Amino acid sequence: MNRMHFPLCAALALVCAAAGAQAQTYPDKAVRIVVPYPPGGAVDQVTRRIAQKLTEQTGQSFYVENKAGATGTIGAVQVARSPGDGYTLMANDTTYSILPQVFKKLPWDYAQDLVPVAGFNFAPTAVVVAVNSPFKTLGDMVAYSQANPGKLNYGTGGAGTMPHFATVALEGASGLKATHVPFKGAGEATLALLSGTIDFQIASTPGVMGQVRGGKVRLLAVSGDQRLKALPDVPTFAQAGAPDYKVVNFTGLWAAKGTPEPVLEKLRKEIATAMASADVQSFADDLGAVPGVVSGKAFADKLKADAQLWEAVAAKVGIDKQ
C-alpha cells in the first residue's frame, strides 16, 4: 500500500472506532424526540408510549417535545439542524412522505438531512363520524354526498397532512364528495367532529380509539385486509364498498444527518425490542394498530413507495404547492 494512504486509513480507523465506542455507550444522556404536531394525535400518543419503553430499556430518558406548525415542517427543521449524534430524533407518520407534494421548497434537504431509522405501529386509517351521525355506513355517506353537493364537510390537522391526502384518495376510490376544513391539529379536528362542526374525518385508529371506547364516535370502515381485533364489528373498506382504498398509516423515527450507523443500529434494536414486548403489543392491539417494525433500507424503500402514491394523489387533485 502506498505510504501516503496510511494517514487516511488510520484516520478512518479512528473514526470507525469512535463510532463503535459511541454506540456501545449510547445513550448516556437524555434523548429528545420531537413530535412536529400538537399533543393528543396518533403520532403523539404512540411516540410517548415508545419513549416510555425505550426509557425503561436503556435507563436513560427518552422524552417527547411537541413542536407543531406548518404541516410538521417546524419540528422537522429543528431536528435536521441538530447534531448528528442520536440525541435528537423526529417522530412522524405518513405525512412526512407527503411534504414534497405540499411545499415548493422545504427549509432542509429532504433527501439527505433526516435519516430514516425505523417505522413501526402500522395503523389502519378509518372513516370516523360522531356517534349521533345519521350515517350508519360508508355507502350511506357516499350516497348523501353525491345527492347533496357541497354539504358534506371533513376535518383534518391541516392541508397536506396524511388525513387530507387520505381523504382525497378515498374520494377517488369511492365516489365520495366532500369539502375540506383544515384545523391546527388532529386533536382539534376530532373536537370539531364531536361538536358537529364537521361531518366526518379520516384518522388513524390510534388517534380515535379513546373516543370509540367512550361512545363518542363511530367508525364506518377501516383499511387493511382483515377486520381489527379491537373493532370486529367495523367493516374493511373493501367490505364497505371501496376495495381500492388501501391507505395505512405508521409512526416512525428519523435522526439527523451524520448520526453514526452503529448508533442508528442500536436505536433500531431497541425499537424492535420495545415493539416485541407484551405490554407494547397489548397497547398496539388496544389502539387497533399492528406493532410491526420496518428498519433501515426497508423503511427508506417504504417511504419512497408512499411518496409515489401521494405524488399521484396530488397530481390528480391539482394541489397547489405552498
Side-chain angles (χ1 to χ4, degrees):
M1 181 182 292
N2 190 309
R3 292 182 180 180
M4 293 179 66
H5 291 166
F6 281 119
L8 176 59
C9 292
L12 289 174
L14 287 172
V15 170
C16 292
Q22 184 179 2
Q24 289 180 358
T25 60
Y26 176 86
D28 58 9
K29 62 181 180 180
V31 177
R32 179 174 61 140
I33 305 178
V34 175
V35 172
Y37 309 110
V43 176
D44 184 67
Q45 290 184 52
V46 172
T47 302
R48 289 181 185 277
R49 184 65 187 89
I50 292 302
Q52 178 185 342
K53 194 65 181 178
L54 293 177
T55 298
E56 294 171 4
Q57 291 173 191
T58 65
Q60 294 290 343
S61 174
F62 282 72
Y63 67 96
V64 171
E65 188 174 290
N66 297 91
K67 292 290 183 181
T71 319
T73 61
I74 290 176
V77 168
Q78 188 172 106
V79 178
R81 294 176 180 173
S82 66
D85 55 11
Y87 288 96
T88 301
L89 307 173
M90 179 186 73
N92 213 320
D93 62 2
T94 306
T95 297
Y96 188 71
S97 299
I98 297 174
L99 292 178
Q101 310 308 322
V102 179
F103 296 95
K104 294 178 181 177
K105 182 174 177 59
L106 291 164
W108 74 95
D109 188 329
Y110 183 85
Q112 297 187 40
D113 285 352
L114 290 172
V115 181
V117 179
F120 48 88
N121 214 71
F122 292 84
T125 53
V127 176
V128 187
V129 297
V131 71
N132 59 353
S133 168
F135 305 119
K136 305 301 181 185
T137 68
L138 177 61
D140 291 342
M141 194 166 72
V142 170
Y144 175 87
S145 72
Q146 293 176 342
N148 299 273
K151 290 190 176 181
L152 199 66
N153 297 321
Y154 70 95
T156 73
T161 58
M162 185 282 294
H164 178 208
F165 270 48
T167 308
V168 172
L170 179 60
E171 289 178 325
S174 67
L176 180 71
K177 300 180 184 300
T179 301
H180 182 213
V181 181
F183 293 88
K184 293 181 179 179
E188 282 194 13
T190 300
L191 290 175
L193 179 70
L194 298 178
S195 69
T197 303
I198 58 174
D199 298 295
F200 76 97
Q201 67 176 144
I202 282 190
S204 59
T205 49
V208 294
M209 286 300 291
Q211 287 80 14
V212 171
R213 291 198 170 89
K216 296 180 179 180
V217 301
R218 182 171 65 250
L219 305 189
L220 302 186
V222 295
S223 61
D225 296 329
Q226 297 180 340
R227 296 191 181 200
L228 298 175
K229 288 191 294 183
L231 300 164
D233 296 330
V234 180
T236 65
F237 277 99
Q239 294 167 340
D244 294 331
Y245 186 78
K246 302 182 184 298
V247 175
V248 175
N249 196 18
F250 65 88
T251 305
L253 290 180
W254 284 256
K257 178 179 67 175
T259 302
E261 186 60 29
V263 171
L264 295 174
E265 282 303 312
K266 182 79 175 291
L267 270 170
R268 289 166 184 147
K269 289 178 181 178
E270 293 292 349
I271 290 168
T273 299
M275 296 305 298
S277 64
D279 52 337
V280 173
Q281 294 260 341
S282 177
F283 169 78
D285 286 342
D286 287 345
L287 291 179
V290 180
V293 178
V294 177
S295 294
K297 184 179 183 301
F299 184 36
D301 289 344
K302 173 173 174 49
L303 293 174
K304 291 179 182 177
D306 283 354
Q308 292 174 352
L309 167 65
W310 300 129
E311 183 178 6
V313 170
K316 184 175 181 180
V317 299
I319 294 290
D320 291 327
K321 293 187 178 183
Q322 302 176 31

